[in-house]
Amino acid sequence: MSDLGGRLFGSAEGSTVTLPVLEVQELEVRFPGRTRWLRERRMDIRPVAGVSLELAPGETVGLVGESGCGKSTLARAIVGLVPVSAGVVRVGGVDLTTLRGGDLQCARRSVQLIFQDPYGSLNPRLRVGTTIWEALNLRKTNSLPNREKIAALLFEVGLDPEVRYCFPHQLSGGQRQRVAIARALAVDPLVLVADEPTSALDVPVQTRILNLLREVQMRHDMAMLLITHDLHLVRKVCHKVAVMYLGHLVELMPVTEQVQPLHPYSRALAAAAPSLLSHGRGETSELPLGEVPSFLKLPPGCPFAPRCKLRKPICDKALPLLAEAGEDHLVRCPVTLQVHN
Amino acid sequence: MNGTIKPSARLRFWRVLWADRSARAGLILVLALVLCAVLADVFAPMDPSALGSAAARMQGPSRDHPLGTDLLGRDVLVRLIHASRVSLTIGWVSVVVAVLCGSFIGLAAGLGPPAVDKILMGVTDLFLAFPRVFLVLLLVSLTAPSLLLVLLVLGLTGWMSVARLVRAEVLSLKERDYILAARGLGISEFRLAVRHLLPNVLPTIVVAATLRIGSTILLESFLSFLGLGTQEPAVSWGTMIEQGRPFLLEGWWLATFPGLAITLTVIGYNLLGDGLREAMDPRTVVAGQRHARVFTTRS
Amino acid sequence: MPVSSLLAVEDLSVRFTAGAVSIEAVRSINFRLAPGECLALVGESGCGKSVTALALLGLLPDYATITGKVFWRERELNALSPDERRAYRGRRMAMVFQEPASSLNPVYTAGEQVAEAIRLHRRLPRREAMAQAIALLEEVRVPDAAQKAHSYPHQLSGGMRQRVLLAAALACEPELLLADEPTTALDVTVQKQILDLLSQLQRKRRMAMIFITHDLALVPQLADRMAVMYAGSLVEFGPAAAVIAAPAHPYTRALVTTHPELWVGGEPLPELPGLPPDPSQRSEGCPFAPRCQHVQPVCQTRFPPPVPLGEGRWAACLTSVAGSLVRRRVVP
């Protein structure tokens, strides 16, 4: 049982190829439809329907999408908290989906999840210090966790070490989130998955937590998958962004000035994002029609077709494939690609 | 700007319990009852079965006999104090048995695979389908009544609702973020159950247990009243009521005082149970306690 | 000479008292609202903006003490009896809240709830009220309004529920709509749809609106003027675009400069350290003093009055900082 918490490949200085630290291939999470006696079988629900992603060490990838698109389920599937029906999740070269028992417990530490709700992610009956201690204790090092280590971790996330005596309900939302980050760091992960880590916090606190995440990520050379609905954040903090809709990845693109989103849904998201710089009142024409359908009534073909203004007959026939639209830029929309090329 | 917090959780627990007036009353009552039972020989060194002289029979409350005497001249107060021992023993022990069984089953059902859950809950429902009182009566009347039998029967027929309660609590807690986070850290399932789930289920169990003690004592009294519970020479409040029943008018003190004792006991345990639930929740705030929420964070 | 205003708030303060504990949630609010105008009330959670809205409607609980005056077209609302006050709610002013899920009664259909709002202020037979309810639902762009009117809240999505609430609020043609974070719980695209709808409704019905939010980015597309609240008092006021372009009060400036949209990628994002003060411990001086970059000794001792900055703007700052900041643009 190797200690997968440590570095599996050293940072390859001098080599031109960096192996991805997180590889997700055709990941699928499926909840079978219930069969009722004498009634038609309900469709299977696939909150994650064949998603593939890669993260290099030190890279930040944003994952955006609206509620119900499956991004939280994807995050939990990557971390192993939701059973995976198909596909592979490789962290540091090790496939987590094939492990069980003690091996799995060890391997889990290489990818940690920061939850959205700071109020629920800490055990209300344990003091902060105990929570951190427990996480530190899981590391296979020769020395036992002690006060200094706990204090050092708390200090690293910007908290007064005295906080270790507090119960979670005595701390503010931002402070709780810092504790959650400290707990994640305690097991020395390779990848951090942050599921909307700042949505439940006030705006000024959001900035501070994001800065902390970036600082910590850079210091420990971790990769980060940042799930958010805030596109401005993505533009400033992420190297790449993936857009999800109804369980499918519809676009994967690098975040640069030159590259514009191509998929109609991505463009809708971008157009809908509220902007400080918008002048006066105006309505957007890029908004999709209607609202997100439920998973139980998925259309055949492109999941976005019913709401898409560029809809063509070919869109309803079969699920379009992800195709290249540029360097590192994948889009799941043949109609847009045709126009683009 | 830095605040310090006194780290003692135990002290806080007692402070919260004491601060709530009804919990305080419950605590005092229960303590008094327990003391009474434990130190029965100290408070009433006389033999509860000691027969009094013919002249001392069926006397109302007086200076010599504060709560009166019964048909055989025995002092009611002495009997009351000694009876508390029996009632409380039965109450506590059978509740502990019931709660242990029930919690274990509830935990297993909540945490285990769905098949186990279905089987366990099926069995629980089966038992629940029988009215408890009749079940108890049936079991007790099949064999010669004894203290041990009563204890066992009460314990083994009381676990069902605890099991359901615990299972419900476990199911709801299982999906909380902090449980998922702990699992994500790679903690073993066993440790997860013991270290994270159990402490959060414990308040529910404790409250359920405390509330049951009152009703179990009531049930025991009922059994004794029917003659199926404690047998002579042991005395319990139920037997005292049974003996006093024919004399409700002429000898009102015979049944009234044991009845009052039972009432006070049940009330005391109920109040204590509610107070315990508040005290065990780390979120309950005691008025006047300052929380040092302001810790500087580096920017 | 004050312009004929729809709503004039003078020195409004709200204090909550429970036993020994007394909290001043709102302190000395002053502003005027013209008919058809949209005012954005911006601030962090806990700054008192929701309490202000509830105070305007007269919906605060008994243990709240309200001082100051609220005028509706020259008529003082505080002086009215509760029954008279109730007549203003719904007919003149209506409110839409943040959580659409809990604002709707789960046992009545959408149509019934809108119809009830209609019948509260007008005597109409049930069938007519329902017909009008359906018309309202169409106005708020609920697709298949006639069908959706017979749906229960749990069958509707968040955006749809918010529209139903809007329809209910508009039922009696209010002149003022108070919207307390109406889109916080909604997705981005749905949020845009609702905001567009609000904008359109406001123009069509010539309705005034007070839009409460913590998200600065929502302000430019809706609001004519904006008011920034901090720890219970207003710190800045003025035309929305101007305030955002060149915020004068240090708090507003911090809010704008730390907004993700203005960050320069690559560098650490600028931060506003500290936390808002505890409402139960309000001090004598400026509430923002502990966190202010430009703090001076006078800030700790005196509560800053509003200082006019020209062009309909003012900022509550004792130093000359506001005067100089108003000339420095933040947003290009």
Side-chain angles (χ1 to χ4, degrees):
Chain A
M1 198 165 43
S2 60
D3 175 15
L4 290 159
R7 309 259 153 255
L8 269 199
F9 354 103
S11 52
E13 282 131 355
S15 79
T16 44
V17 174
T18 5
L19 293 159
V21 69
L22 174 67
E23 272 179 275
V24 176
Q25 284 171 6
E26 294 299 315
L27 193 63
E28 187 186 274
V29 175
R30 178 191 290 262
F31 298 125
R34 282 182 302 165
T35 328
R36 287 215 183 134
W37 196 35
L38 295 183
R39 281 197 225 170
E40 221 178 273
R41 183 166 187 230
R42 269 171 133 191
M43 257 176 84
D44 290 351
I45 295 182
R46 295 195 304 162
V48 179
V51 171
S52 302
L53 275 181
E54 266 182 22
L55 266 78
E59 190 177 33
T60 309
V61 172
L63 183 58
V64 301
E66 297 181 301
S67 50
C69 70
K71 50 192 202 294
S72 279
T73 316
L74 176 62
R76 285 165 194 226
I78 291 175
V79 186
L81 290 173
V82 157
V84 162
S85 321
V88 160
V89 175
R90 247 183 244 122
V91 182
V94 178
D95 185 358
L96 293 182
T97 53
T98 55
L99 298 176
R100 297 279 176 272
D103 288 331
L104 178 60
Q105 280 165 23
C106 247
R108 294 187 108 122
R109 288 167 214 151
S110 49
V111 54
Q112 286 295 301
L113 179 58
I114 309 282
F115 292 82
Q116 174 176 359
D117 178 15
Y119 297 82
S121 62
L122 300 176
N123 189 334
R125 312 196 70 87
L126 294 181
R127 290 180 203 272
V128 164
T130 319
T131 306
I132 307 279
W133 183 93
E134 186 177 41
L136 275 175
N137 202 24
L138 292 168
R139 253 209 292 218
K140 297 258 179 306
T141 48
N142 294 326
S143 49
L144 289 172
N146 57 19
R147 275 210 196 125
E148 275 93 54
K149 293 206 184 117
I150 298 179
L153 256 180
L154 288 174
F155 184 75
E156 184 179 352
V157 296
L159 286 172
D160 187 326
E162 286 295 297
V163 160
R164 78 185 117 186
Y165 294 120
C166 292
F167 285 102
H169 69 272
Q170 294 170 304
L171 303 177
S172 71
Q175 288 168 326
R176 282 181 228 204
Q177 211 56 313
R178 286 175 196 263
V179 173
I181 295 172
R183 175 179 57 189
L185 286 179
V187 290
D188 209 13
L190 295 169
V191 181
L192 260 190
V193 179
D195 188 355
E196 305 228 35
T198 56
S199 306
L201 305 170
D202 269 330
V203 173
V205 183
Q206 288 189 16
T207 355
R208 283 153 38 195
I209 298 295
L210 281 163
N211 269 341
L212 175 64
L213 278 172
R214 289 180 82 209
E215 203 184 295
V216 147
Q217 183 199 2
M218 282 194 292
R219 188 179 308 134
H220 295 262
D221 199 25
M222 292 186 296
M224 182 154 76
L225 181 63
L226 179 64
I227 299 176
T228 178
H229 59 267
D230 188 346
L231 286 182
H232 299 300
L233 245 174
V234 165
R235 270 193 208 117
K236 307 296 163 134
V237 170
C238 301
H239 300 103
K240 293 199 291 209
V241 63
V243 182
M244 265 182 93
Y245 185 78
L246 282 181
H248 293 274
L249 208 58
V250 297
E251 187 157 9
L252 183 59
M253 56 182 261
V255 176
T256 60
E257 287 291 316
Q258 299 84 25
V259 180
Q260 292 296 317
L262 288 175
H263 193 281
Y265 180 61
S266 319
R267 297 175 72 94
L269 283 182
S275 169
L276 273 181
L277 307 172
S278 66
H279 302 289
R281 315 175 188 194
E283 293 186 26
T284 351
S285 56
E286 294 230 37
L287 283 184
L289 311 156
E291 295 197 351
V292 184
S294 99
F295 268 109
L296 294 170
K297 298 201 185 85
L298 280 184
C302 176
F304 189 62
R307 303 175 67 195
C308 186
K309 296 197 174 141
L310 301 178
R311 185 184 195 177
K312 297 253 162 66
I314 186 181
C315 301
D316 296 318
K317 291 229 179 80
L319 179 72
L321 296 170
L322 272 176
E324 267 203 43
E327 192 179 324
D328 279 340
H329 191 164
L330 298 170
V331 181
R332 197 187 287 273
C333 183
V335 176
T336 329
L337 271 175
Q338 230 176 17
V339 172
H340 179 68
N341 288 341
Chain B
M1 265 267 257
N2 282 344
T4 40
I5 280 219
K6 293 189 187 33
S8 168
R10 226 159 265 158
L11 194 60
R12 200 202 127 268
F13 170 81
W14 289 112
R15 257 206 285 157
V16 173
L17 199 59
W18 196 255
D20 179 10
R21 253 180 297 184
S22 49
R24 195 192 306 173
L27 184 63
I28 294 176
L29 257 177
V30 169
L31 273 176
L33 288 165
V34 169
L35 267 177
C36 183
V38 168
L39 300 175
D41 295 318
V42 172
F43 291 131
M46 303 78 90
D47 179 6
S49 316
L51 301 172
S53 62
R57 289 181 195 176
M58 288 297 277
Q59 298 289 312
S62 64
R63 205 148 21 111
D64 287 330
H65 301 283
L67 296 184
T69 60
D70 70 355
L71 201 56
L72 297 175
R74 299 177 289 194
D75 185 307
V76 171
L77 180 58
V78 172
R79 283 174 73 75
L80 201 70
I81 291 177
H82 282 266
S84 76
R85 206 176 240 183
V86 174
S87 299
L88 260 63
T89 312
I90 295 185
W92 279 80
V93 174
S94 34
V95 164
V96 166
V97 169
V99 165
L100 277 177
C101 284
S103 306
F104 185 69
I105 292 180
L107 270 169
L111 289 176
V116 170
D117 183 16
K118 283 213 169 79
I119 293 174
L120 284 177
M121 282 301 111
V123 169
T124 312
D125 285 339
L126 200 67
F127 271 87
L128 269 175
F130 290 99
R132 187 182 182 192
V133 175
F134 286 113
L135 197 58
V136 168
L137 284 178
L138 183 70
L139 288 172
V140 166
S141 56
L142 283 177
T143 55
S146 72
L147 187 66
L148 185 60
L149 184 70
V150 170
L151 272 174
L152 276 177
V153 165
L154 285 178
L156 294 175
T157 55
W159 57 269
M160 293 87 74
S161 37
V162 177
R164 293 190 76 135
L165 204 61
V166 168
R167 171 183 175 271
E169 191 75 13
V170 168
L171 283 181
S172 124
L173 287 176
K174 222 168 45 156
E175 296 304 321
R176 296 278 160 92
D177 279 352
Y178 59 86
I179 299 287
L180 294 180
R183 190 173 286 141
L185 282 175
I187 295 182
S188 69
E189 289 298 314
F190 179 73
R191 204 193 150 85
L192 196 67
V194 170
R195 196 91 176 79
H196 288 270
L197 266 175
L198 205 52
N200 282 288
V201 182
L202 211 53
T204 318
I205 297 179
V206 165
V207 173
T210 331
L211 294 175
R212 301 188 75 76
I213 294 182
S215 60
T216 309
I217 291 181
L218 207 54
L219 194 55
E220 181 276 324
S221 309
F222 175 59
L223 278 180
S224 303
F225 180 76
L226 291 179
L228 294 171
T230 342
Q231 303 293 308
E232 291 286 337
V235 56
S236 86
W237 288 330
T239 48
M240 289 177 73
I241 298 183
E242 190 263 324
Q243 286 164 1
R245 192 182 54 82
F247 309 106
L248 280 178
L249 281 176
E250 317 91 77
W252 58 267
W253 56 91
L254 293 177
T256 312
F257 291 115
L260 267 176
I262 296 175
T263 312
L264 279 176
T265 309
V266 175
I267 292 178
Y269 278 105
N270 284 0
L271 289 177
L272 181 61
D274 278 339
L276 274 179
R277 178 180 32 212
E278 292 287 312
M280 289 184 79
D281 185 351
R283 281 165 283 198
T284 322
V285 178
V286 187
Q289 181 184 34
R290 265 174 305 144
H291 288 295
R293 282 182 57 144
V294 191
F295 287 95
T296 48
T297 53
R298 264 182 321 129
S299 296
Chain C
M1 192 60 220
V3 184
S4 76
S5 51
L6 187 66
L7 186 72
V9 177
E10 264 176 42
D11 212 25
L12 180 70
S13 299
V14 179
R15 182 174 277 277
F16 291 108
T17 321
V21 180
S22 180
I23 293 179
E24 192 176 31
V26 172
R27 184 174 175 175
S28 227
I29 303 268
N30 287 282
F31 68 85
R32 281 171 192 272
L33 192 66
E37 179 185 10
C38 178
L39 173 71
L41 187 52
V42 180
E44 294 173 75
S45 59
C47 72
K49 37 194 211 297
S50 292
V51 175
T52 308
L54 291 173
L56 290 176
L57 278 175
L59 283 177
L60 286 173
D62 289 328
Y63 54 88
T65 348
I66 308 179
T67 47
K69 299 192 183 170
V70 178
F71 291 95
W72 179 270
R73 291 193 193 278
E74 317 297 324
R75 219 174 149 194
E76 195 179 333
L77 289 183
N78 313 46
L80 297 176
S81 72
D83 277 333
E84 289 172 321
R85 196 68 193 274
R86 199 152 47 86
Y88 274 81
R89 253 177 263 145
R91 287 237 56 195
R92 310 285 162 84
M93 323 192 233
M95 187 152 171
V96 180
F97 297 86
Q98 176 178 344
E99 273 293 343
S102 44
S103 301
L104 284 173
N105 192 328
V107 300
Y108 292 108
T109 64
E112 280 169 2
Q113 298 197 47
V114 179
E116 182 186 12
I118 295 174
R119 290 171 70 211
L120 269 176
H121 294 275
R122 275 185 276 169
R123 242 168 265 205
L124 283 177
R126 210 166 273 184
R127 203 161 296 184
E128 263 205 56
M130 192 52 136
Q132 288 211 8
I134 295 180
L136 270 171
L137 286 175
E138 279 170 359
E139 191 179 348
V140 296
R141 302 210 208 133
V142 171
D144 292 324
Q147 267 207 331
K148 287 276 187 332
H150 297 290
S151 304
Y152 286 93
H154 69 269
Q155 295 168 314
L156 303 172
S157 69
M160 215 56 77
R161 287 185 212 146
Q162 200 63 295
R163 290 173 203 265
V164 172
L165 283 168
L166 259 177
L170 296 173
C172 299
E173 326 242 323
E175 295 174 72
L176 170 64
L177 180 67
L178 288 138
D180 190 355
E181 309 235 31
T183 56
T184 306
L186 305 173
D187 279 326
V188 154
T189 47
V190 180
Q191 174 174 272
K192 188 78 171 71
Q193 290 172 344
I194 298 289
L195 291 177
D196 285 346
L197 177 64
L198 277 174
S199 189
Q200 196 201 47
L201 283 170
Q202 203 211 334
R203 270 176 294 160
K204 201 177 90 170
R205 287 168 168 248
R206 275 185 275 270
M207 203 171 51
M209 183 156 73
I210 297 184
F211 185 76
I212 299 175
T213 179
H214 65 271
D215 189 353
L216 269 178
L218 298 181
V219 174
Q221 57 186 314
L222 269 187
D224 302 306
R225 292 194 292 169
M226 70 185 268
V228 181
M229 235 174 129
Y230 183 77
S233 38
L234 288 184
V235 296
E236 183 158 2
F237 192 90
V243 171
I244 290 184
H249 192 278
Y251 174 63
T252 323
R253 187 158 277 253
L255 277 185
V256 174
T257 50
T258 58
H259 198 270
E261 207 175 337
L262 298 177
W263 298 336
V264 175
E267 292 173 13
L269 318 158
E271 290 179 4
L272 174 59
L275 287 172
D278 190 345
S280 54
Q281 290 159 7
R282 292 269 164 87
S283 62
E284 284 302 309
C286 174
F288 190 61
R291 300 165 85 184
C292 186
Q293 282 184 321
H294 312 275
V295 65
Q296 285 167 28
V298 66
C299 302
Q300 316 272 16
T301 50
R302 277 182 57 206
F303 188 75
V307 172
L309 298 166
E311 290 172 3
R313 296 183 60 170
W314 58 258
C317 186
L318 288 159
T319 68
S320 57
V321 167
S324 62
L325 285 178
V326 76
R327 282 180 278 279
R328 281 195 261 159
R329 283 187 75 97
V330 170
V331 169

